[in-house]
Amino acid sequence: MTTEAPGEQDSTLFTLEKTTASLMEVDAAFRANLNWNYGERKNRIWSLYEKNKNAQWNAATDIDWTPKVRFGEPLNDAESAGLASFVVGEGSPVPKELLNQFRWEYLAWMISQFLHGEQGALVTTARLVETVPDMEAKIYAASQVADEARHVEAYAKYIDEKLGTSYPINPGLKALLRDLLQESEWDIVYLGMQVIVEGLALAATRLASTGFGDPIITSITRMIARDEARHIGFGVVSLTGMYDEMTSAEQSVREDFLLESVHLMSRRFLLREVWERMELDVERGVTFAMNDPMMFGYRQLLFQQVIHLLRQLGLLSPKLRELFLSESLAKPEAFRGMA
Ligand SMILES: [Fe+2]
Ligand SMILES: [Fe+2]
C-alpha cells in the first residue's frame, strides 16, 4: 500500500452517492419531551458525559492520512493476512486467482457497513435526545451524536479519498435502522442501537483494527472503539433495572424486537453483496459463509458482546438463546449456568 490510489487527486470522482441510493426517508410518530428538572449532575450518566467531553478527538487531524492505499493492487503476505484469510483453502468459493480482489472487496464492504452503521447511530441517537425523559440522558446522547458525526466523517473520508469504492447498506442493517427510526418506545431504540448495533460494532471494530494491515484503518478503528465502549456503557446504565418492572406484555414486545433484530444482524455476515459484486456463485458463497468454521468463529466472537449485554439486562430469554444457537451465533457454552 505505497502508491497513489486512483482518484486521490480528485476525490469528487468517487462520491458515495454513486453506489448508494442517496436518501432513505422514514416517517415516524413519537413523543418528544422537555424536562424542567435538570437533575443533580452526580449520577453515572453525568460522569460518562464528562468522559465523553474529555475524549473528543478530531478525525481530520488526529489520524495520519498520509499513507497511500491503492485499491486492487497485489498485497504482500503481511497486508493480506488477517480478517480475510478465511477464504483461503478447501471449499472456498473464491478461486486462487481472485484472492487478492476478494481481500480488497471485503475491506470495502466492511468499511462501508461500518460507515452506514455510524450514520444509523448518528440519527437514532439524535432521536434519543428528543425522546428520553431524563436530562442527563438527553445531554449524554447529544455528546454521543457528536462522536457519531466524527465516526461518519472518518469512514467517509477513508472510502472517498483512499478506497474510491463503496458498498450500499446491507439489507439487514437497513431494515433494523428503519425499525429503529419508526420506533416510539425510547428504550427499544437503546436496545437496537446501544446494545445490538454498537455491541456488534465494538467487537467488529476491534477485530478490524489489526485485521487489515492498513495503518489508517488501524488508527481510525482504535479511536472509534474507545468511543463505542462508552456508548454501550450509556445504554447499559440507562436500561439497567428497567425490565424488572415491566409487565409480561411489555417484556414480550422487547423480546420480539430482539428476536427480529438479532435475526436481521445475523444475515449481515453472509457477504452476499461481495459474492455478487465479484460475480461468484452467490448461493455457494452464502453457504460457505454460513458453515465455514472461521466465519462461524468470527460471528460468535461478534455476538459474544451482545449476549453478555443482554444477559446483564436480564433479557436473554430462552427463545433468544434458542435463536442464537439456531443461527450459529453462539455455542451452548455461552449460556452456561442459565435456567
Ligand atoms: Fe460510532
Ligand atoms: Fe457509537
Side-chain angles (χ1 to χ4, degrees):
M1 296 190 193
T2 49
T3 41
E4 196 165 86
E8 223 162 331
Q9 295 298 321
D10 180 6
S11 65
T12 56
L13 284 174
F14 292 97
T15 55
L16 296 172
E17 285 78 9
K18 280 194 173 168
T19 49
T20 309
S22 64
L23 205 58
M24 167 173 133
E25 294 176 314
V26 181
D27 292 324
F30 61 92
R31 181 168 294 159
N33 54 52
L34 297 164
N35 190 336
W36 312 123
N37 177 359
Y38 293 90
E40 293 185 345
R41 297 176 308 286
K42 281 183 188 149
N43 65 24
R44 278 200 63 198
I45 293 181
W46 280 104
S47 60
L48 275 172
Y49 167 63
E50 198 56 35
K51 277 190 192 157
N52 246 36
K53 284 190 291 180
N54 289 324
Q56 295 287 306
W57 48 280
N58 185 337
T61 53
D62 291 332
I63 304 281
D64 177 7
W65 291 96
T66 54
K68 304 282 192 245
V69 179
R70 188 163 181 182
F71 190 83
E73 276 288 289
L75 296 165
N76 66 39
D77 285 349
E79 290 165 332
S80 63
L83 275 187
S85 59
F86 63 90
V87 291
V88 179
E90 201 114 329
S92 167
V94 183
K96 219 173 166 203
E97 64 277 13
L98 295 182
L99 278 179
N100 190 66
Q101 188 196 348
F102 174 79
R103 285 162 178 146
W104 282 110
E105 293 296 342
Y106 185 60
L107 171 70
W109 175 83
M110 175 90 82
I111 302 302
S112 299
Q113 301 316 317
F114 284 169
L115 171 61
H116 303 313
E118 295 294 355
Q119 184 187 177
L122 173 76
V123 177
T124 55
T125 308
R127 171 72 55 79
L128 285 178
V129 176
E130 295 181 84
T131 57
V132 286
D134 295 337
M135 185 48 60
E136 65 265 26
K138 286 181 184 296
I139 284 185
Y140 183 90
S143 73
Q144 180 178 336
V145 168
D147 290 345
E148 307 301 359
R150 190 169 56 239
H151 301 173
V152 168
E153 176 194 357
Y155 285 132
K157 183 175 164 75
Y158 180 81
I159 286 177
D160 211 24
E161 295 179 10
K162 298 294 174 181
L163 288 185
T165 188
S166 64
Y167 276 76
I169 185 167
N170 168 273
L173 180 58
K174 189 175 184 180
L176 179 55
L177 294 181
R178 185 181 290 277
D179 286 352
L180 289 179
L181 286 174
Q182 288 175 325
E183 180 55 57
S184 57
E185 302 287 346
W186 55 263
D187 74 289
I188 296 183
V189 177
Y190 272 108
L191 282 179
M193 183 47 65
Q194 272 74 9
V195 176
I196 304 281
V197 176
E198 301 203 291
L200 289 172
L202 177 61
T205 309
R206 282 183 176 152
L207 289 168
S209 73
T210 51
F212 286 116
D214 175 330
I216 306 175
I217 285 300
T218 299
S219 328
I220 298 174
T221 47
R222 281 196 180 148
M223 305 283 256
I224 288 180
R226 275 181 228 148
D227 294 346
E228 298 306 348
R230 291 193 309 278
H231 302 165
I232 292 170
F234 167 56
V236 170
V237 172
S238 302
L239 298 178
T240 295
M242 198 168 172
Y243 299 108
D244 307 339
E245 291 160 20
M246 280 190 177
T247 63
S248 57
E250 289 169 328
Q251 286 186 2
S252 100
V253 170
R254 274 69 191 170
E255 183 182 54
D256 288 346
F257 169 79
L258 288 169
L259 288 167
E260 170 70 5
S261 51
V262 167
H263 174 68
L264 288 172
M265 287 298 91
S266 76
R267 306 280 102 191
R268 188 176 160 185
F269 300 100
L270 300 177
L271 303 176
R272 183 175 282 277
E273 303 92 320
V274 178
W275 312 130
E276 279 171 1
R277 182 169 293 181
M278 290 185 67
E279 297 178 345
L280 294 169
D281 181 337
V282 174
E283 290 319 311
R284 189 174 163 209
V286 166
T287 309
F288 172 80
M290 185 88 94
N291 301 316
D292 175 67
M294 272 178 83
M295 278 299 278
F296 183 35
Y298 177 68
R299 281 195 299 273
Q300 285 179 350
L301 220 52
L302 296 190
F303 278 89
Q304 221 169 41
Q305 173 86 14
V306 171
I307 289 170
H308 171 73
L309 295 170
L310 292 175
R311 192 171 186 163
Q312 233 178 312
L313 294 170
L315 290 170
L316 201 51
S317 66
K319 268 193 196 168
L320 258 165
R321 281 181 261 161
E322 187 46 48
L323 179 73
F324 281 116
L325 294 174
S326 66
E327 304 236 351
S328 331
L329 305 171
K331 285 186 182 153
E333 299 88 276
F335 309 119
R336 196 173 285 149
M338 297 191 77

PDB file of all heavy atoms in Angstrom, residues 286-309:
ATOM      1  N   VAL A 286     -22.780 -17.836   0.133  1.00  0.00           N
ATOM      2  CA  VAL A 286     -23.574 -17.687   1.358  1.00  0.00           C
ATOM      3  C   VAL A 286     -23.481 -18.961   2.203  1.00  0.00           C
ATOM      4  O   VAL A 286     -23.294 -18.908   3.426  1.00  0.00           O
ATOM      5  CB  VAL A 286     -25.047 -17.354   0.993  1.00  0.00           C
ATOM      6  CG1 VAL A 286     -25.969 -17.525   2.183  1.00  0.00           C
ATOM      7  CG2 VAL A 286     -25.136 -15.931   0.438  1.00  0.00           C
ATOM      8  N   THR A 287     -23.585 -20.123   1.541  1.00  0.00           N
ATOM      9  CA  THR A 287     -23.484 -21.389   2.272  1.00  0.00           C
ATOM     10  C   THR A 287     -22.113 -21.524   2.930  1.00  0.00           C
ATOM     11  O   THR A 287     -21.993 -21.954   4.077  1.00  0.00           O
ATOM     12  CB  THR A 287     -23.701 -22.581   1.299  1.00  0.00           C
ATOM     13  OG1 THR A 287     -24.902 -22.329   0.594  1.00  0.00           O
ATOM     14  CG2 THR A 287     -23.788 -23.898   2.014  1.00  0.00           C
ATOM     15  N   PHE A 288     -21.099 -21.099   2.185  1.00  0.00           N
ATOM     16  CA  PHE A 288     -19.740 -21.150   2.742  1.00  0.00           C
ATOM     17  C   PHE A 288     -19.640 -20.253   3.978  1.00  0.00           C
ATOM     18  O   PHE A 288     -19.156 -20.669   5.038  1.00  0.00           O
ATOM     19  CB  PHE A 288     -18.735 -20.700   1.671  1.00  0.00           C
ATOM     20  CG  PHE A 288     -17.338 -20.542   2.187  1.00  0.00           C
ATOM     21  CD1 PHE A 288     -16.517 -21.646   2.356  1.00  0.00           C
ATOM     22  CD2 PHE A 288     -16.841 -19.289   2.518  1.00  0.00           C
ATOM     23  CE1 PHE A 288     -15.218 -21.500   2.848  1.00  0.00           C
ATOM     24  CE2 PHE A 288     -15.545 -19.135   3.006  1.00  0.00           C
ATOM     25  CZ  PHE A 288     -14.740 -20.252   3.168  1.00  0.00           C
ATOM     26  N   ALA A 289     -20.128 -19.009   3.840  1.00  0.00           N
ATOM     27  CA  ALA A 289     -20.028 -18.066   4.961  1.00  0.00           C
ATOM     28  C   ALA A 289     -20.812 -18.567   6.175  1.00  0.00           C
ATOM     29  O   ALA A 289     -20.444 -18.345   7.319  1.00  0.00           O
ATOM     30  CB  ALA A 289     -20.538 -16.690   4.540  1.00  0.00           C
ATOM     31  N   MET A 290     -21.901 -19.273   5.899  1.00  0.00           N
ATOM     32  CA  MET A 290     -22.724 -19.812   6.979  1.00  0.00           C
ATOM     33  C   MET A 290     -22.016 -20.942   7.719  1.00  0.00           C
ATOM     34  O   MET A 290     -22.090 -21.049   8.936  1.00  0.00           O
ATOM     35  CB  MET A 290     -24.025 -20.343   6.352  1.00  0.00           C
ATOM     36  CG  MET A 290     -25.054 -20.829   7.331  1.00  0.00           C
ATOM     37  SD  MET A 290     -26.097 -19.490   7.848  1.00  0.00           S
ATOM     38  CE  MET A 290     -27.441 -19.662   6.697  1.00  0.00           C
ATOM     39  N   ASN A 291     -21.299 -21.791   6.975  1.00  0.00           N
ATOM     40  CA  ASN A 291     -20.773 -23.024   7.571  1.00  0.00           C
ATOM     41  C   ASN A 291     -19.279 -23.051   7.834  1.00  0.00           C
ATOM     42  O   ASN A 291     -18.812 -23.902   8.584  1.00  0.00           O
ATOM     43  CB  ASN A 291     -21.118 -24.221   6.674  1.00  0.00           C
ATOM     44  CG  ASN A 291     -22.614 -24.338   6.504  1.00  0.00           C
ATOM     45  OD1 ASN A 291     -23.362 -24.208   7.471  1.00  0.00           O
ATOM     46  ND2 ASN A 291     -23.063 -24.552   5.278  1.00  0.00           N
ATOM     47  N   ASP A 292     -18.526 -22.177   7.204  1.00  0.00           N
ATOM     48  CA  ASP A 292     -17.086 -22.220   7.376  1.00  0.00           C
ATOM     49  C   ASP A 292     -16.731 -22.012   8.861  1.00  0.00           C
ATOM     50  O   ASP A 292     -17.217 -21.062   9.489  1.00  0.00           O
ATOM     51  CB  ASP A 292     -16.448 -21.115   6.517  1.00  0.00           C
ATOM     52  CG  ASP A 292     -14.957 -21.040   6.747  1.00  0.00           C
ATOM     53  OD1 ASP A 292     -14.255 -21.993   6.376  1.00  0.00           O
ATOM     54  OD2 ASP A 292     -14.501 -20.042   7.341  1.00  0.00           O
ATOM     55  N   PRO A 293     -15.884 -22.877   9.426  1.00  0.00           N
ATOM     56  CA  PRO A 293     -15.587 -22.769  10.858  1.00  0.00           C
ATOM     57  C   PRO A 293     -14.987 -21.413  11.257  1.00  0.00           C
ATOM     58  O   PRO A 293     -15.294 -20.889  12.329  1.00  0.00           O
ATOM     59  CB  PRO A 293     -14.558 -23.893  11.110  1.00  0.00           C
ATOM     60  CG  PRO A 293     -14.685 -24.805   9.947  1.00  0.00           C
ATOM     61  CD  PRO A 293     -15.241 -24.032   8.799  1.00  0.00           C
ATOM     62  N   MET A 294     -14.182 -20.800  10.382  1.00  0.00           N
ATOM     63  CA  MET A 294     -13.607 -19.498  10.747  1.00  0.00           C
ATOM     64  C   MET A 294     -14.664 -18.396  10.753  1.00  0.00           C
ATOM     65  O   MET A 294     -14.650 -17.506  11.593  1.00  0.00           O
ATOM     66  CB  MET A 294     -12.473 -19.117   9.797  1.00  0.00           C
ATOM     67  CG  MET A 294     -11.139 -19.679  10.281  1.00  0.00           C
ATOM     68  SD  MET A 294      -9.821 -19.280   9.147  1.00  0.00           S
ATOM     69  CE  MET A 294      -9.388 -17.632   9.672  1.00  0.00           C
ATOM     70  N   MET A 295     -15.589 -18.453   9.785  1.00  0.00           N
ATOM     71  CA  MET A 295     -16.668 -17.468   9.750  1.00  0.00           C
ATOM     72  C   MET A 295     -17.610 -17.658  10.943  1.00  0.00           C
ATOM     73  O   MET A 295     -18.090 -16.704  11.539  1.00  0.00           O
ATOM     74  CB  MET A 295     -17.478 -17.607   8.452  1.00  0.00           C
ATOM     75  CG  MET A 295     -16.870 -16.922   7.266  1.00  0.00           C
ATOM     76  SD  MET A 295     -16.715 -15.128   7.502  1.00  0.00           S
ATOM     77  CE  MET A 295     -18.349 -14.549   7.096  1.00  0.00           C
ATOM     78  N   PHE A 296     -17.854 -18.914  11.272  1.00  0.00           N
ATOM     79  CA  PHE A 296     -18.682 -19.258  12.423  1.00  0.00           C
ATOM     80  C   PHE A 296     -18.033 -18.676  13.689  1.00  0.00           C
ATOM     81  O   PHE A 296     -18.683 -18.000  14.500  1.00  0.00           O
ATOM     82  CB  PHE A 296     -18.763 -20.790  12.478  1.00  0.00           C
ATOM     83  CG  PHE A 296     -19.641 -21.344  13.565  1.00  0.00           C
ATOM     84  CD1 PHE A 296     -20.797 -20.706  13.971  1.00  0.00           C
ATOM     85  CD2 PHE A 296     -19.304 -22.561  14.169  1.00  0.00           C
ATOM     86  CE1 PHE A 296     -21.602 -21.243  14.976  1.00  0.00           C
ATOM     87  CE2 PHE A 296     -20.106 -23.106  15.166  1.00  0.00           C
ATOM     88  CZ  PHE A 296     -21.249 -22.437  15.569  1.00  0.00           C
ATOM     89  N   GLY A 297     -16.735 -18.894  13.804  1.00  0.00           N
ATOM     90  CA  GLY A 297     -15.989 -18.368  14.956  1.00  0.00           C
ATOM     91  C   GLY A 297     -16.031 -16.842  15.007  1.00  0.00           C
ATOM     92  O   GLY A 297     -16.175 -16.241  16.068  1.00  0.00           O
ATOM     93  N   TYR A 298     -15.937 -16.217  13.841  1.00  0.00           N
ATOM     94  CA  TYR A 298     -15.960 -14.753  13.758  1.00  0.00           C
ATOM     95  C   TYR A 298     -17.315 -14.220  14.238  1.00  0.00           C
ATOM     96  O   TYR A 298     -17.389 -13.304  15.062  1.00  0.00           O
ATOM     97  CB  TYR A 298     -15.692 -14.334  12.307  1.00  0.00           C
ATOM     98  CG  TYR A 298     -15.763 -12.844  12.065  1.00  0.00           C
ATOM     99  CD1 TYR A 298     -14.806 -11.984  12.603  1.00  0.00           C
ATOM    100  CD2 TYR A 298     -16.788 -12.294  11.299  1.00  0.00           C
ATOM    101  CE1 TYR A 298     -14.875 -10.612  12.382  1.00  0.00           C
ATOM    102  CE2 TYR A 298     -16.854 -10.922  11.069  1.00  0.00           C
ATOM    103  CZ  TYR A 298     -15.893 -10.092  11.609  1.00  0.00           C
ATOM    104  OH  TYR A 298     -15.969  -8.742  11.386  1.00  0.00           O
ATOM    105  N   ARG A 299     -18.410 -14.830  13.743  1.00  0.00           N
ATOM    106  CA  ARG A 299     -19.747 -14.378  14.165  1.00  0.00           C
ATOM    107  C   ARG A 299     -19.949 -14.572  15.666  1.00  0.00           C
ATOM    108  O   ARG A 299     -20.516 -13.733  16.349  1.00  0.00           O
ATOM    109  CB  ARG A 299     -20.834 -15.149  13.400  1.00  0.00           C
ATOM    110  CG  ARG A 299     -21.059 -14.642  11.990  1.00  0.00           C
ATOM    111  CD  ARG A 299     -22.372 -15.177  11.428  1.00  0.00           C
ATOM    112  NE  ARG A 299     -22.400 -16.625  11.361  1.00  0.00           N
ATOM    113  CZ  ARG A 299     -21.937 -17.331  10.332  1.00  0.00           C
ATOM    114  NH1 ARG A 299     -21.418 -16.718   9.293  1.00  0.00           N
ATOM    115  NH2 ARG A 299     -22.001 -18.649  10.342  1.00  0.00           N
ATOM    116  N   GLN A 300     -19.440 -15.692  16.167  1.00  0.00           N
ATOM    117  CA  GLN A 300     -19.587 -15.937  17.604  1.00  0.00           C
ATOM    118  C   GLN A 300     -18.859 -14.889  18.427  1.00  0.00           C
ATOM    119  O   GLN A 300     -19.340 -14.418  19.451  1.00  0.00           O
ATOM    120  CB  GLN A 300     -19.030 -17.309  17.956  1.00  0.00           C
ATOM    121  CG  GLN A 300     -19.955 -18.407  17.524  1.00  0.00           C
ATOM    122  CD  GLN A 300     -19.393 -19.768  17.858  1.00  0.00           C
ATOM    123  OE1 GLN A 300     -18.236 -19.905  18.247  1.00  0.00           O
ATOM    124  NE2 GLN A 300     -20.202 -20.773  17.678  1.00  0.00           N
ATOM    125  N   LEU A 301     -17.683 -14.522  17.951  1.00  0.00           N
ATOM    126  CA  LEU A 301     -16.900 -13.509  18.641  1.00  0.00           C
ATOM    127  C   LEU A 301     -17.654 -12.175  18.653  1.00  0.00           C
ATOM    128  O   LEU A 301     -17.681 -11.467  19.652  1.00  0.00           O
ATOM    129  CB  LEU A 301     -15.580 -13.343  17.880  1.00  0.00           C
ATOM    130  CG  LEU A 301     -14.304 -13.164  18.661  1.00  0.00           C
ATOM    131  CD1 LEU A 301     -14.132 -14.240  19.714  1.00  0.00           C
ATOM    132  CD2 LEU A 301     -13.108 -13.211  17.691  1.00  0.00           C
ATOM    133  N   LEU A 302     -18.274 -11.847  17.526  1.00  0.00           N
ATOM    134  CA  LEU A 302     -19.017 -10.589  17.442  1.00  0.00           C
ATOM    135  C   LEU A 302     -20.232 -10.592  18.365  1.00  0.00           C
ATOM    136  O   LEU A 302     -20.513  -9.615  19.043  1.00  0.00           O
ATOM    137  CB  LEU A 302     -19.501 -10.330  16.003  1.00  0.00           C
ATOM    138  CG  LEU A 302     -18.450 -10.135  14.927  1.00  0.00           C
ATOM    139  CD1 LEU A 302     -19.116  -9.641  13.654  1.00  0.00           C
ATOM    140  CD2 LEU A 302     -17.389  -9.125  15.356  1.00  0.00           C
ATOM    141  N   PHE A 303     -20.962 -11.711  18.374  1.00  0.00           N
ATOM    142  CA  PHE A 303     -22.202 -11.744  19.142  1.00  0.00           C
ATOM    143  C   PHE A 303     -21.980 -11.974  20.645  1.00  0.00           C
ATOM    144  O   PHE A 303     -22.895 -11.760  21.434  1.00  0.00           O
ATOM    145  CB  PHE A 303     -23.174 -12.775  18.552  1.00  0.00           C
ATOM    146  CG  PHE A 303     -23.934 -12.222  17.371  1.00  0.00           C
ATOM    147  CD1 PHE A 303     -23.427 -12.320  16.088  1.00  0.00           C
ATOM    148  CD2 PHE A 303     -25.141 -11.554  17.546  1.00  0.00           C
ATOM    149  CE1 PHE A 303     -24.110 -11.788  14.995  1.00  0.00           C
ATOM    150  CE2 PHE A 303     -25.835 -11.017  16.463  1.00  0.00           C
ATOM    151  CZ  PHE A 303     -25.313 -11.131  15.184  1.00  0.00           C
ATOM    152  N   GLN A 304     -20.757 -12.387  21.005  1.00  0.00           N
ATOM    153  CA  GLN A 304     -20.439 -12.607  22.414  1.00  0.00           C
ATOM    154  C   GLN A 304     -20.782 -11.372  23.266  1.00  0.00           C
ATOM    155  O   GLN A 304     -21.361 -11.464  24.342  1.00  0.00           O
ATOM    156  CB  GLN A 304     -18.935 -12.835  22.505  1.00  0.00           C
ATOM    157  CG  GLN A 304     -18.521 -13.916  23.454  1.00  0.00           C
ATOM    158  CD  GLN A 304     -17.043 -14.223  23.250  1.00  0.00           C
ATOM    159  OE1 GLN A 304     -16.229 -13.312  23.057  1.00  0.00           O
ATOM    160  NE2 GLN A 304     -16.697 -15.483  23.303  1.00  0.00           N
ATOM    161  N   GLN A 305     -20.375 -10.221  22.748  1.00  0.00           N
ATOM    162  CA  GLN A 305     -20.592  -8.965  23.467  1.00  0.00           C
ATOM    163  C   GLN A 305     -22.096  -8.674  23.632  1.00  0.00           C
ATOM    164  O   GLN A 305     -22.547  -8.298  24.711  1.00  0.00           O
ATOM    165  CB  GLN A 305     -19.918  -7.842  22.665  1.00  0.00           C
ATOM    166  CG  GLN A 305     -20.175  -6.452  23.159  1.00  0.00           C
ATOM    167  CD  GLN A 305     -19.197  -6.049  24.260  1.00  0.00           C
ATOM    168  OE1 GLN A 305     -18.187  -6.699  24.472  1.00  0.00           O
ATOM    169  NE2 GLN A 305     -19.527  -4.987  24.955  1.00  0.00           N
ATOM    170  N   VAL A 306     -22.862  -8.899  22.555  1.00  0.00           N
ATOM    171  CA  VAL A 306     -24.304  -8.651  22.597  1.00  0.00           C
ATOM    172  C   VAL A 306     -24.960  -9.594  23.619  1.00  0.00           C
ATOM    173  O   VAL A 306     -25.800  -9.184  24.422  1.00  0.00           O
ATOM    174  CB  VAL A 306     -24.923  -8.855  21.192  1.00  0.00           C
ATOM    175  CG1 VAL A 306     -26.440  -8.814  21.243  1.00  0.00           C
ATOM    176  CG2 VAL A 306     -24.397  -7.808  20.224  1.00  0.00           C
ATOM    177  N   ILE A 307     -24.545 -10.859  23.598  1.00  0.00           N
ATOM    178  CA  ILE A 307     -25.102 -11.840  24.532  1.00  0.00           C
ATOM    179  C   ILE A 307     -24.804 -11.431  25.968  1.00  0.00           C
ATOM    180  O   ILE A 307     -25.672 -11.450  26.844  1.00  0.00           O
ATOM    181  CB  ILE A 307     -24.539 -13.251  24.215  1.00  0.00           C
ATOM    182  CG1 ILE A 307     -25.143 -13.739  22.893  1.00  0.00           C
ATOM    183  CG2 ILE A 307     -24.816 -14.239  25.347  1.00  0.00           C
ATOM    184  CD1 ILE A 307     -24.525 -15.002  22.327  1.00  0.00           C
ATOM    185  N   HIS A 308     -23.572 -10.979  26.187  1.00  0.00           N
ATOM    186  CA  HIS A 308     -23.171 -10.533  27.519  1.00  0.00           C
ATOM    187  C   HIS A 308     -24.047  -9.357  27.983  1.00  0.00           C
ATOM    188  O   HIS A 308     -24.525  -9.318  29.113  1.00  0.00           O
ATOM    189  CB  HIS A 308     -21.685 -10.138  27.472  1.00  0.00           C
ATOM    190  CG  HIS A 308     -21.214  -9.460  28.701  1.00  0.00           C
ATOM    191  ND1 HIS A 308     -21.013 -10.129  29.890  1.00  0.00           N
ATOM    192  CD2 HIS A 308     -20.915  -8.150  28.945  1.00  0.00           C
ATOM    193  CE1 HIS A 308     -20.609  -9.260  30.810  1.00  0.00           C
ATOM    194  NE2 HIS A 308     -20.541  -8.059  30.257  1.00  0.00           N
ATOM    195  N   LEU A 309     -24.284  -8.405  27.087  1.00  0.00           N
ATOM    196  CA  LEU A 309     -25.078  -7.224  27.446  1.00  0.00           C
ATOM    197  C   LEU A 309     -26.529  -7.601  27.740  1.00  0.00           C
ATOM    198  O   LEU A 309     -27.128  -7.123  28.706  1.00  0.00           O
ATOM    199  CB  LEU A 309     -25.033  -6.181  26.314  1.00  0.00           C
ATOM    200  CG  LEU A 309     -23.653  -5.558  26.036  1.00  0.00           C
ATOM    201  CD1 LEU A 309     -23.686  -4.739  24.745  1.00  0.00           C
ATOM    202  CD2 LEU A 309     -23.205  -4.683  27.201  1.00  0.00           C
TER     203      LEU A 309
END
